[in-house]
Amino acid sequence: RRPGIGWPVVVLAVVAAAVAGALCWQVGEALGPQDFDTRLRTAKPGEVVPIDFTLRAKAALLLWPLGASAAFIAIGATVRDTEEPRPMHIGRGRQGRARADDEAAE
């Protein structure tokens, strides 16, 4: 584990997930069925005509970054932190903290 790269990795994952969501949307638009009017005119009675799948709710694109950040939140909540927490001495100032560190060393 490399120290000091925690939050940039999360930002990178969220941005990458947003780009991936937009890319998947555009690929779906490009590969999906085209020209619904032509398909409807050439269809025979009783034949199934596939409709275009359109993404009208742009908020659906936010699910990709949300999923990426949820993965980091889940990992952060379940993985044990190996660093020892340093006790905080609130209200003592610099001298009080140095005195408390000296007392802890004894």
Side-chain angles (χ1 to χ4, degrees):
R1 188 172 119 166
R2 302 177 84 189
I5 63 168
W7 69 268
V9 172
V10 176
V11 171
L12 180 67
V14 168
V15 169
V19 169
L23 182 68
C24 286
W25 172 39
Q26 293 303 316
V27 168
E29 288 285 324
L31 297 179
Q34 302 294 324
D35 199 21
F36 180 71
D37 293 332
T38 305
R39 283 182 280 146
L40 193 58
R41 263 185 269 132
T42 59
K44 296 179 176 78
E47 189 176 8
V48 176
V49 179
I51 62 170
D52 296 334
F53 179 73
T54 58
L55 180 64
R56 290 193 179 102
K58 304 295 189 250
L61 294 174
L62 295 176
L63 291 178
W64 285 73
L66 181 67
S69 59
F72 280 102
I73 291 170
I75 290 170
T78 57
V79 174
R80 184 171 176 243
D81 193 9
T82 57
E83 296 177 3
E84 280 293 318
R86 293 190 63 199
M88 289 181 51
H89 302 286
I90 299 173
R92 293 186 180 185
R94 292 187 73 142
Q95 294 169 347
R97 188 178 309 126
R99 200 174 312 126
D101 289 342
D102 290 340
E103 292 171 3
E106 292 174 359

